[in-house]
Every structure is written in structure tokens, then in C-alpha cells.
Amino acid sequence: YSEIAQRERMEEQLLLSQFAMDKATDIVFWISRNARIRYANDIASEALQYTRDELLDGNFGDIVPVYSLAEWDALWDELKNGVQVFRETFLVKKDGTRFPAEVRLTYLEYHGKQFVYCSSRDLSERIRMDQALVEANKKLSISTSIARHDIQNKITVLLAYLGRTKKAVT
């Protein structure tokens, strides 16, 4: 009975892990040695406008062109040697449109199975916020410059009046 109970706990844990991976907020892929996608989570399908079946066994370089088949072998060896790769690039949707994304690649091996774990995050919102911040800083700089100029003009007038008052008193 204890073995059955342990198997049930392991099965429950496995199902929970699968659910968490499928529902993660980051795009997740598992990529094989030949640059084929072996797993894609729900957000990958949603963000890239593919069905999960269309993504599975697809070429990773079609989604992330910066990692083409020509570069994959060298990248695989680099990752296998323990290097983590992080890059800001873009992902290509099914309709050919692109969106900016950060891509993190890590080599993993489990029970003799080798794959690259890829997590990716859409950067569109962050880039939009960065641009809005730059615009706000420009406007703030202009506003500060105008206020400084106005204050400087008032101080100049006050100093002039003060100078006249000094002459009048003497």
C-alpha cells in the first residue's frame, strides 16, 4: 500500500508540474539536438498564433531566426559546456509578424535525454514603457528649463530693483 500511495503522490506531483509548465506566463520550449521543438506551453501557442501540434516538431529557427540551423550545432555545444545564453531578439508569429522578446537558453539532460530549455518573454510592453519614460523625461526637462528660465528672469528683475533701492537709499 505504501508503494501505491507513493506512486499516487508522484503522479499527482507530475500532473501538477505539467500543469504549471503548461500555464506558465513565459513562453517555454524544449528543443532537441536537431533544433526541433519537442514541447511548447500554452502561452507559446497563444503568443505565436500556432496550435501546439503545429509547434511540435517544428524548427526552432523558424520561431527565433537568430538561432538558425547553421548556428544551432555550435550553440548546442556551447550550451552543453554549461554556458547559459541570454539574448534580446525577436520571435516570429505564424503570420510572419515579429515581436521583441528576451530568450534564455539552458542545456538540460535527464535520464540520458538531452534538450535545451528555452524560456522567452515578450518585451513589447517594456519597450513601450521605456519609450513613454523617455518622452516623459523630455517633457519634464522642457518644463524644468522653462520654469528655471522664468525664475531666473524674476530674480534678475528683483536684483535690478534691489540695486535701484540701494542707490536711492545712499
Side-chain angles (χ1 to χ4, degrees):
Y1 289 113
S2 68
E3 188 177 315
I4 291 171
Q6 185 172 347
R7 283 180 186 241
E8 286 176 351
R9 281 192 302 272
M10 289 175 63
E11 184 178 325
E12 180 66 27
Q13 196 172 26
L14 178 63
L15 290 172
L16 180 61
S17 297
Q18 180 68 48
F19 178 79
M21 187 66 70
D22 286 342
K23 302 301 179 192
T25 56
D26 287 346
I27 295 169
V28 174
F29 295 111
W30 297 347
I31 308 144
S32 68
R33 174 74 175 99
N34 63 356
R36 295 288 180 198
I37 298 170
R38 295 293 175 221
Y39 169 81
N41 67 350
D42 293 346
I43 195 72
S45 297
E46 183 183 315
L48 298 168
Q49 301 170 341
Y50 286 94
T51 66
R52 190 175 295 201
D53 289 338
E54 289 173 323
L55 284 172
L56 294 180
D57 210 34
N59 184 345
F60 183 64
D62 292 342
I63 305 294
V64 189
V66 74
Y67 298 123
S68 66
L69 278 174
E71 296 176 8
W72 186 253
D73 287 335
L75 179 62
W76 179 273
D77 292 337
E78 188 178 334
L79 290 164
K80 192 172 181 177
N81 288 328
V83 175
Q84 274 195 347
V85 174
F86 174 82
R87 193 170 193 174
E88 287 190 10
T89 183
F90 61 89
L91 302 183
V92 180
K93 295 180 183 182
K94 184 178 180 178
D95 64 6
T97 59
R98 305 175 344 167
F99 63 91
E102 65 181 31
V103 176
R104 186 176 307 271
L105 302 174
T106 306
Y107 173 84
L108 298 173
E109 187 171 341
Y110 182 74
H111 288 292
K113 294 184 179 180
Q114 302 174 339
F115 63 97
V116 168
Y117 173 85
C118 170
S119 64
S120 182
R121 182 172 293 163
D122 186 343
L123 296 178
S124 300
E125 184 65 19
R126 189 192 86 192
I127 289 171
R128 189 187 67 72
M129 294 298 282
D130 286 349
Q131 290 170 342
L133 187 59
V134 166
E135 284 299 314
N137 278 336
K138 282 181 187 176
K139 289 177 181 177
L140 185 59
S141 178
I142 290 170
S143 175
T144 303
S145 175
I146 291 170
R148 181 182 166 278
H149 185 69
D150 286 348
I151 291 170
Q152 201 169 19
N153 283 345
K154 290 183 184 332
I155 289 173
T156 302
V157 168
L158 284 172
L159 287 173
Y161 282 132
L162 191 59
R164 282 187 177 175
T165 306
K166 273 185 175 179
K167 286 181 184 176
V169 169
T170 54

